Amino acid sequence: MSVVKIENLWVSYGSLDAVRGISIDIPRGEVFGFIGPNGAGKSTTIKVLATLLKHDRGMVWVNGVDVSRYPRAIRDSIGYMPDFFGVYDDLTAMEYLHFFAAAYRLPISKRKGIIHDVLELTDLTHKINSPVDSLSRGMKQRLALARVLLHDPDLLLLDEPASGLDPRARIEVRELLKELKNMGKTILISSHILHELGQLCSQIGIIEQGQMVAQGSLEEIYQQLSLMRVVHVQLAGKPNGILEQIQGIPGVESVEQQVDRMSIRLHEDQTSVEDLHDEICKLGGRIHMFQPEAMDMETAFMKLTHGKTN
């Protein structure tokens, strides 16, 4: 069963349609990356899932439960982290987490152990007695993640969790999210840091002006756009005319001979990277190195969107 299922969601602010007919399906254990410019409708959609905003039309379920009919049940199964998460400066990290453990109605006998576990997971054990206002922004973000993990939710709703962080702090948050993914958490994450979402997410949705303009795995989006992948190939021995034969493989746009390798521009909607490897072998090529370039999410994003907002 899908953890998140959205069908034809519409949300309006007065006469403005902020979200216009989007649908999302997130299976258990998947990470869904929500990409779009400011004002595209990402935060609005996440707030609907978090039961903080009522929608006008469509259906929204979390774990098969209707969000609009049973908001209290939904709140027990989600961890919501907004784009700017306020923390209480007069508390220590330990006091902050104890406060929310009480708010989540966690048994008193278990709170200390649970707080220790989430602090260890977020690598904040050494800051257990530090005042919140003494923490760096990156540590505050990790503390916010520790807070949403206290009640062990099925679904994490993370709205720009790396916003405003320096490069080191972004890497730390990304590694933490990978760990949560490995733990089997289902995650919906919005971000402008596109290449990091490409490394983390199993599914991606690109939204603009409240409408989903592309959805699927990064590879599927590339195929939809007919974007080309560059594959670097190094053959053992001399080519002996094989370059011309590779040029004839369906989907190969061009073959450029470089000093120690060739660069092949490939339409993956016609021939997959794996099939290209097999075809080169069939032509008698002895492959010493075969390296497809990583997918460039920025390219897909720029081609699909026009920088417009509602």
Side-chain angles (χ1 to χ4, degrees):
M1 182 178 67
S2 299
V3 173
V4 172
K5 192 170 182 64
I6 298 175
E7 291 183 354
N8 194 32
L9 178 66
W10 287 75
V11 183
S12 300
Y13 298 104
S15 60
L16 174 66
D17 292 327
V19 176
R20 302 189 288 167
I22 72 168
S23 297
I24 298 173
D25 194 316
I26 309 177
R28 185 170 301 280
E30 297 287 315
V31 180
F32 186 92
F34 215 14
I35 303 172
N38 291 331
K42 305 187 302 299
S43 294
T44 297
T45 303
I46 291 175
K47 286 178 180 177
V48 170
L49 283 166
T51 74
L52 298 176
L53 188 65
K54 292 185 177 181
H55 56 284
D56 301 300
R57 281 184 281 162
M59 296 297 295
V60 182
W61 298 272
V62 173
N63 286 326
V65 178
D66 189 326
V67 168
S68 60
R69 294 184 63 187
Y70 304 103
R72 287 190 176 274
I74 297 298
R75 290 168 191 167
D76 288 337
S77 64
I78 65 171
Y80 168 58
M81 182 175 163
D83 53 352
F84 182 77
F85 190 90
V87 290
Y88 303 151
D89 292 345
D90 293 334
L91 301 178
T92 65
M94 173 65 83
E95 291 169 338
Y96 175 83
L97 293 176
H98 267 288
F99 175 84
F100 279 100
Y104 284 126
R105 304 183 303 278
L106 299 181
I108 294 176
S109 60
K110 296 183 178 179
R111 288 179 194 172
K112 186 175 181 180
I114 292 172
I115 289 171
H116 176 270
D117 289 343
V118 297
L119 285 171
E120 187 172 353
L121 177 63
T122 54
D123 194 24
L124 286 173
T125 304
H126 62 296
K127 293 292 183 179
I128 190 169
N129 294 314
S130 298
V132 169
D133 61 359
S134 71
L135 302 179
S136 67
R137 180 171 173 80
M139 288 182 179
K140 287 180 179 179
Q141 292 292 81
R142 283 189 278 150
L143 181 62
L145 272 172
R147 194 276 297 174
V148 301
L149 293 170
L150 282 169
H151 61 303
D152 193 24
D154 291 331
L155 172 65
L156 299 178
L157 304 171
L158 310 178
D159 196 356
E160 299 279 357
S163 175
L165 299 185
D166 60 48
R168 178 179 292 276
R170 286 205 305 269
I171 292 171
E172 291 172 350
V173 170
R174 184 186 67 203
E175 293 306 309
L176 175 56
L177 294 178
K178 286 182 180 179
E179 182 64 26
L180 293 171
K181 176 182 179 181
N182 292 335
M183 291 169 59
K185 296 294 184 185
T186 305
I187 303 173
L188 189 156
I189 176 173
S190 72
S191 178
H192 289 119
I193 307 172
L194 306 183
H195 69 279
E196 292 189 0
L197 280 190
Q199 298 171 21
L200 181 67
C201 298
S202 46
Q203 296 287 318
I204 293 161
I206 299 179
I207 185 172
E208 185 174 42
Q209 291 186 292
Q211 293 182 304
M212 198 74 80
V213 295
Q215 189 172 345
S217 68
L218 189 53
E219 289 75 12
E220 289 169 344
I221 290 174
Y222 260 64
Q223 290 177 6
Q224 292 172 26
L225 295 172
S226 297
L227 296 178
M228 286 179 285
R229 175 98 74 128
V230 176
V231 183
H232 300 284
V233 180
Q234 190 178 67
L235 300 177
K238 295 182 179 180
N240 292 328
I242 197 172
L243 267 67
E244 291 76 12
Q245 294 176 285
I246 292 174
Q247 181 70 67
I249 296 174
V252 173
E253 174 75 15
S254 64
V255 181
E256 179 185 351
Q257 180 63 57
Q258 298 178 344
V259 176
D260 61 342
R261 67 189 66 186
M262 65 181 78
S263 293
I264 302 171
R265 292 172 60 82
L266 177 69
H267 291 280
E268 284 192 272
D269 55 332
Q270 299 179 41
T271 297
S272 68
V273 169
E274 294 78 11
D275 288 341
L276 174 66
H277 184 285
D278 293 344
E279 290 297 324
I280 294 174
C281 292
K282 288 178 183 177
L283 294 173
R286 297 167 57 206
I287 296 177
H288 179 68
M289 182 270 288
F290 188 89
Q291 183 178 347
E293 284 189 0
M295 289 295 190
D296 180 5
M297 192 180 293
E298 279 84 355
T299 302
F301 181 78
M302 294 303 294
K303 185 165 182 178
L304 281 164
T305 63
H306 303 89
K308 297 177 181 177
T309 58
N310 286 315

